[in-house]
Amino acid sequence: AQSVAQPEDQVNVAEGNPLTVKCTYSVSGNPYLFWYVQYPNRGLQFLLKYITGDNLVKGSYGFEAEFNKSQTSFHLKKPSALVSDSALYFCAVRGVYSGNTPLVFGKGTRLSVIA
Amino acid sequence: NAGVTQTPKFQVLKTGQSMTLQCAQDMNHNSMYWYRQDPGMGLRLIYYSASEGTTDKGEVPNGYNVSRLNKREFSLRLESAAPSQTSVYFCASGVGTAGNTIYFGEGSWLTVV
């Protein structure tokens, strides 16, 4: 079975500081990993994904994520947070050999960037 | 560039009423999905359609039915709405291979009173 854990319901960070939103996963075999962002009253928007290759993945809006196979983690990072980054962030996973099975999402982490 | 379009955006239903949420995508995607989002619960899969002509249950299918009308359209029906179905519903679509991204609609806010 596939699963994702986002251990923090809420992350607060001051504007200009680096931010990290944590994600760990469980899947049989190798994973495909995704991050999505949801702004208030909107749908989820794709940020970035890890498929294969370089463990550091760069995505939209200056976000990046680091895949760590030994720790089964895929933490989302940004060097300098903006107030406009305040949103709900979701991590998702699908196994490499899972074919058409749907993505499994974590419960989400609310990021609040304080000016 | 429409992407995934959901209708209606907002709906209030009385307990026991029925309704259908419509979803259409213009990206020629094979797979389509219905999720619900509730506070503290994240996104939970209701039903999905891996390809035209197929549908499968997700994590929380009870009280819902779906129809994959054609490649573009995937509807979600509540036959007899209950207050527990008050939620935000999201439709999504994707190419259908394991590494491919899925794309979401803007959501449908449903309240059952």
Side-chain angles (χ1 to χ4, degrees):
Chain A
Q2 302 168 138
S3 66
V4 171
Q6 294 182 241
E8 300 155 318
D9 291 335
Q10 173 96 28
V11 170
N12 298 318
V13 64
E15 188 175 30
N17 282 2
L19 70 87
T20 299
V21 182
K22 295 179 180 177
C23 171
T24 59
Y25 68 90
S26 175
V27 68
S28 297
N30 291 322
Y32 293 133
L33 292 154
F34 301 77
W35 276 103
Y36 285 81
V37 60
Q38 184 183 31
Y39 298 103
N41 301 317
R42 302 294 303 275
L44 278 71
Q45 296 178 32
F46 169 71
L47 270 181
L48 53 79
K49 67 181 177 182
Y50 171 81
I51 300 298
T52 187
D54 194 347
N55 289 344
L56 186 64
V57 178
K58 294 187 184 297
S60 307
Y61 313 120
F63 283 94
E64 57 190 28
E66 186 166 14
F67 171 62
N68 187 317
K69 188 171 183 178
S70 63
Q71 297 186 1
T72 61
S73 67
F74 189 56
H75 300 333
L76 182 69
K77 300 181 180 184
K78 188 174 182 182
S80 179
L82 299 172
V83 172
S84 57
D85 293 330
S86 298
L88 189 56
Y89 290 81
F90 290 95
C91 183
V93 69
R94 187 193 279 131
V96 167
Y97 300 112
S98 63
N100 258 342
T101 59
L103 282 177
V104 173
F105 285 84
K107 293 189 186 300
T109 298
R110 188 166 300 281
L111 173 67
S112 179
V113 181
I114 303 154
Chain B
N1 215 6
V4 180
T5 304
Q6 294 181 229
T7 56
K9 184 137 178 113
F10 300 99
Q11 183 74 48
V12 179
L13 284 178
K14 293 182 179 178
T15 298
Q17 285 185 320
S18 62
M19 76 158 297
T20 299
L21 299 177
Q22 307 285 355
C23 176
Q25 52 91 8
D26 62 3
M27 296 174 281
N28 200 35
H29 284 165
N30 293 316
S31 298
M32 297 186 74
Y33 312 86
W34 277 105
Y35 289 89
R36 60 178 287 174
Q37 184 179 21
D38 302 290
M41 303 293 289
L43 284 171
R44 293 183 293 170
L45 182 68
I46 306 171
Y47 272 94
Y48 69 103
S49 171
S51 60
E52 188 178 356
T54 69
T55 60
D56 284 285
K57 294 179 180 179
E59 181 184 354
V60 288
N62 290 347
Y64 305 95
N65 285 302
V66 290
S67 295
R68 183 75 183 266
L69 304 169
N70 48 55
K71 192 171 185 179
R72 289 186 65 247
E73 298 173 288
F74 188 40
S75 63
L76 179 72
R77 182 160 179 85
L78 287 70
E79 291 291 352
S80 178
S84 61
Q85 293 178 304
T86 293
S87 188
V88 184
Y89 292 85
F90 289 99
C91 179
S93 71
V95 171
T97 55
N100 268 278
T101 305
I102 65 172
Y103 297 91
F104 284 81
E106 289 292 292
S108 296
W109 273 253
L110 176 65
T111 301
V112 183
V113 297

